[in-house]
Amino acid sequence: KVRARLDARLAKTRGDERTALLRRGDEAMAEAIADVGLTVERYNEISDLLDEYVSLKAAVRKRLASRGQ
């Protein structure tokens, strides 16, 4: 959700405002990751695994969809 909101705003900004928005977006992403009990490093490891294993990615998406996320 954080990423989707950030992407929408980034499409409309340029220059220094864009840089500041990216910084705030990184902070918001890190906070959201911490809120679910992960470190940014662990989140990135999981993301890398999902990119590598398509079947795992499909299983995670299915599970998230069933939870309404």
Side-chain angles (χ1 to χ4, degrees):
K1 292 178 185 179
V2 171
R3 186 68 186 172
R5 286 191 305 254
L6 179 62
D7 286 344
R9 292 182 64 195
L10 283 171
K12 301 174 188 175
T13 60
R14 299 286 180 256
D16 290 342
E17 184 180 346
R18 183 180 178 86
T19 301
L21 184 58
L22 283 168
R23 190 175 328 107
R24 288 193 308 270
D26 286 346
E27 292 167 0
M29 292 278 288
E31 186 177 316
I33 290 166
D35 286 348
V36 296
L38 294 173
T39 64
V40 171
E41 292 79 16
R42 184 64 178 144
Y43 174 87
N44 287 334
E45 289 171 354
I46 292 168
S47 179
D48 290 344
L49 286 171
L50 292 176
D51 287 341
E52 188 173 338
Y53 297 98
V54 176
S55 61
L56 179 60
K57 188 178 219 173
V60 169
R61 283 186 175 168
K62 182 177 179 183
R63 188 166 203 180
L64 288 174
S66 72
R67 294 176 58 191
Q69 295 184 0

